């Protein structure tokens, strides 16, 4: 058990929070090692979706394989050239889910405030868990139980907020426990380049360099007006993060939805396709955001249409593959409407419901090389926009398509409030190219 430093008392701040970030190390491969140690223990392993196809993508790999040059995202064929003895395994998501539930159950025994971020990581708010000991004692107990009961390694970060807890859990892998307090930020974070901070990708780091902001210390002391000028509302967020500030709560895990939908009653009867399509764009954006917050993908899109006489119809179709991309939902919704509603007939209510939901974590194995390389830029833009809305409200970001020819009318009709930033402007800023 880590030693308690002199003068730290019980490790709990007088006013504030204590957050753990539990990160399972090389989770998929570690699960296979735990289940079949004689077959896989201490051997170079990789999990890939298309084991039989050398163009398949490495989803994850063991630390042994990493030491031999194998990396997540590599083609299977490329990985086998670097490491001919690599054992490539087909994924078993039912097995992974079983182990995920078990390690989450251990975390729940120390606090009801557990937020699963993916199948292999979670945040735990232990502010009210003093009865179990100091934060270090709780983290050590959780780590030891996961090791003994599940035979899995994990790293745990301890901090006063989610951002620093995430940073701390990455400091010692595998099987590490790290503490990162606000007072540690100048010494432990500020000397590092900006790209070291969780959430800052290569493109943002390069842009900061062009502003002569090379380190997190420089970002922490940067002129907020300059950051706002170059990054919009994201600028102050970057500065707060560099100072180790993050007030987002740990939201307890909720039961997975069977469908996610949203409808809106229009202020007047709409008859023009262009107007109706803009409403679908807004609806697709809203349901897509709710889908992403739950870490899900959807494959079926259902639309609801109601006329002034209250006649209501629904029509649905499936996408080629599960996705979280609102633009896919939007295009299919428009196609369904154009196919099943007579042009010129008035519409009073519209809705989009997403169905055939599945955890996003399971989709990684379905990516081929082309889609794998195409996804990161789009996902980073989406994450940036979601973060802006979390920070500044749902109306913080609008697409140009939502605005139409008369922005004030559509905003009023859709009851959207807040600071309006066009997504196209963010694209020009290059935020969609984040790594």
């Amino acid at each position: 058990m880590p030693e308690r430093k002199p003068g730290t008392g019980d490790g709990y701040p007088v006013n504030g929070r204590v957050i753990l970030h539990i990160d399972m190390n090389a989770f998929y491969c570690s699960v296979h090692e735990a289940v079949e140690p004689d077959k896989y223990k201490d051997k170079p392993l990789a999990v890939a979706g298309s084991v039989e196809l050398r163009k398949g993508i490495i989803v994850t790999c063991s630390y042994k394989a990493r030491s031999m040059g194998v990396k997540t995202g590599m083609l299977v064929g490329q990985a086998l050239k670097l490491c001919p003895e690599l054992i490539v395994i087909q994924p078993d998501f039912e097995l992974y889910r079983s182990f995920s539930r078990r390690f989450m159950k251990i975390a729940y025994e120390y606090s009801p405030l557990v937020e699963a971020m993916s199948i292999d990581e979670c945040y735990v708010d232990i502010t009210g868990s003093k009865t179990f000991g100091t934060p270090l004692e709780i983290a050590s107990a959780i780590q030891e139980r996961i090791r003994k009961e599940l035979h899995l390694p994990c790293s745990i970060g301890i901090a006063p907020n989610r951002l620093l807890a995430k940073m701390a859990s990455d400091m010692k892998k595998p099987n590490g426990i790290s503490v990162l307090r606000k007072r540690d930020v100048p010494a432990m974070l500020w000397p590092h380049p900006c790209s070291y901070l969780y959430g800052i990708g290569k493109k943002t780091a390069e842009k900061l360099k062009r502003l002569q902001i090379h380190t997190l210390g420089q970002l922490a002391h940067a002129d907020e007006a300059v950051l706002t000028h170059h990054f919009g509302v994201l600028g102050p967020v970057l500065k707060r993060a560099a100072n180790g500030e993050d007030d987002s709560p740990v939201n307890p895990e909720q039961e997975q939805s069977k469908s996610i939908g949203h409808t809106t009653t229009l202020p007047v009867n709409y008859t023009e396709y262009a107007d109706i399509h803009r409403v679908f764009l807004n609806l697709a954006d809203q349901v897509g955001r709710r889908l992403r917050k739950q870490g899900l993908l959807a494959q079926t899109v259902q639309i609801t249409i109601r006329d002034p006489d209250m006649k209501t119809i629904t029509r649905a179709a499936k996408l080629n593959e599960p996705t979280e991309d609102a633009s896919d939902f939007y295009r299919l919704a428009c196609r369904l409407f154009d196919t099943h509603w007579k042009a010129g007939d008035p519409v009073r209510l519209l809705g989009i419901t997403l169905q055939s939901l599945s955890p996003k974590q399971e989709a990684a194995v379905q990516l081929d090389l082309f889609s794998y390389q195409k996804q990161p830029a789009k996902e980073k833009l989406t994450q940036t926009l979601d973060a802006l809305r979390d920070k500044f409200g749902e109306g913080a970001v609008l697409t140009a398509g939502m605005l139409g020819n008369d922005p004030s009318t559509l905003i009023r009709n859709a009851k959207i409030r807040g600071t309006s930033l066009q997504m196209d402007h963010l694209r020009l800023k290059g935020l969609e190219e984040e790594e």
Side-chain angles (χ1 to χ4, degrees):
M1 182 176 295
E3 293 183 6
R4 191 184 307 179
K5 293 183 179 180
T8 58
D10 63 3
Y12 289 88
V14 176
N15 295 302
R17 300 179 297 162
V18 180
I19 309 297
L20 305 183
H21 181 259
I22 303 174
D23 190 358
M24 306 302 293
N25 303 143
F27 182 57
Y28 296 170
C29 293
S30 296
V31 167
H32 287 291
E33 288 187 41
V35 173
E36 298 181 88
D38 294 341
K39 189 175 181 181
Y40 297 127
K41 188 70 174 176
D42 297 324
K43 294 181 179 179
L45 307 179
V47 171
S50 303
V51 174
E52 73 285 356
L53 298 176
R54 296 178 72 84
K55 72 174 183 179
I57 296 294
I58 299 293
V59 176
T60 189
C61 54
S62 67
Y63 283 93
K64 180 76 171 179
R66 295 176 195 186
S67 70
M68 304 177 79
V70 180
K71 297 179 181 179
T72 298
M74 272 186 176
L75 291 172
V76 170
Q78 183 184 3
L80 288 170
K81 286 181 181 179
L82 287 170
C83 180
E85 62 270 40
L86 182 69
I87 302 173
V88 185
I89 307 171
Q90 285 275 13
D92 184 345
F93 281 105
E94 189 55 45
L95 178 65
Y96 306 148
R97 280 195 294 267
S98 172
F99 273 81
S100 179
R101 286 191 292 267
R102 291 167 69 186
F103 96 76
M104 297 279 183
K105 184 175 182 293
I106 291 174
Y108 271 115
E109 293 183 25
Y110 295 85
S111 172
L113 299 177
V114 177
E115 181 178 357
M117 300 307 295
S118 66
I119 199 170
D120 62 348
E121 64 174 319
C122 67
Y123 290 102
V124 188
D125 188 330
I126 61 167
T127 308
S129 303
K130 295 182 181 181
T131 183
F132 295 105
T134 69
L136 278 171
E137 289 168 346
I138 293 173
S140 296
I142 292 174
Q143 185 184 67
E144 183 65 10
R145 286 189 59 187
I146 290 174
R147 185 186 69 80
K148 284 188 175 180
E149 297 174 25
L150 307 182
H151 306 287
L152 296 177
C154 71
S155 297
I156 301 179
I158 308 172
N161 59 51
R162 290 163 54 117
L163 172 64
L164 294 183
K166 171 68 175 175
M167 296 294 296
S169 69
D170 286 336
M171 289 178 174
K172 296 178 184 176
K173 288 188 174 182
N175 277 318
I177 295 179
S178 302
V179 179
L180 185 56
R181 306 173 182 85
K182 280 287 297 295
R183 65 174 180 266
D184 300 325
V185 169
M188 299 183 70
L189 296 188
W190 285 359
H192 290 280
C194 294
S195 58
Y196 181 77
L197 188 68
Y198 176 68
I200 294 184
K202 182 179 178 181
K203 293 298 182 180
T204 296
E206 289 176 351
K207 190 168 183 179
L208 288 167
K209 284 183 181 178
R210 292 196 291 272
L211 298 174
Q212 300 304 310
I213 300 173
H214 300 276
T215 68
L216 288 173
Q218 291 172 330
L219 178 57
H221 293 92
D223 187 324
E224 191 168 303
V226 172
L227 293 174
T228 300
H229 175 73
H230 289 278
F231 294 95
V233 293
L234 187 61
V237 177
L238 291 171
K239 179 170 181 173
R240 290 186 72 246
N243 280 286
E245 297 175 8
D246 174 22
D247 54 9
S248 58
V250 172
N251 296 310
E253 186 178 12
Q254 298 179 352
E255 183 179 356
Q256 179 176 313
S257 302
K258 294 182 180 179
S259 66
I260 294 174
H262 191 78
T263 61
T264 183
T265 300
L266 306 174
V268 295
N269 298 333
Y270 280 12
T271 57
E272 298 295 327
Y273 276 171
D275 294 331
I276 290 165
H277 286 184
R278 277 195 291 273
V279 176
F280 275 132
L281 181 60
N282 187 28
L283 290 169
D285 182 67
Q286 291 186 57
V287 293
R289 175 158 155 72
R290 288 168 55 194
L291 184 82
R292 293 189 296 274
K293 290 188 79 169
Q294 296 189 43
L296 300 173
L297 303 178
Q299 191 165 6
T300 299
V301 176
Q302 175 183 287
I303 65 169
T304 301
I305 313 168
R306 180 176 297 163
D307 69 11
D309 297 324
M310 304 303 288
K311 176 187 174 182
T312 304
I313 69 166
T314 60
R315 296 292 184 269
K318 295 192 74 171
L319 295 158
N320 292 332
E321 59 186 20
T323 182
E324 62 178 11
D325 193 337
S327 62
D328 292 332
F329 307 143
Y330 163 69
R331 283 191 291 268
L332 184 52
C334 290
R335 188 159 68 245
L336 284 168
F337 181 88
D338 296 352
T339 301
H340 296 287
W341 195 258
K342 184 179 177 181
D345 281 1
V347 175
R348 192 57 190 269
L349 176 145
L350 292 169
I352 291 180
T353 300
L354 305 179
Q355 302 169 335
S356 304
L357 307 185
S358 60
K360 181 179 178 180
Q361 193 70 23
E362 296 185 9
V365 298
Q366 301 176 20
L367 297 175
D368 58 20
L369 178 60
F370 177 75
S371 59
Y372 184 89
Q373 291 176 333
K374 193 172 73 170
Q375 278 298 103
K378 182 182 288 187
E379 287 193 4
K380 277 296 181 182
L381 174 61
T382 301
Q383 291 168 9
T384 299
L385 301 181
D386 285 345
L388 291 174
R389 285 167 170 148
D390 286 339
K391 180 74 176 173
F392 298 101
E394 291 298 324
V397 180
L398 303 177
T399 67
M402 291 177 190
L403 297 176
N405 295 326
D406 185 356
S408 62
T409 299
L410 192 64
I411 291 172
R412 182 174 64 254
N413 291 345
K415 298 180 181 178
I416 298 175
R417 295 178 293 274
T419 304
S420 299
L421 294 175
Q422 292 188 17
M423 193 180 297
D424 299 314
H425 178 63
L426 290 176
R427 288 198 178 98
L428 288 174
K429 291 284 190 182
L431 296 180
E432 80 281 20
E433 298 174 356
E434 289 276 36
E435 273 195 347

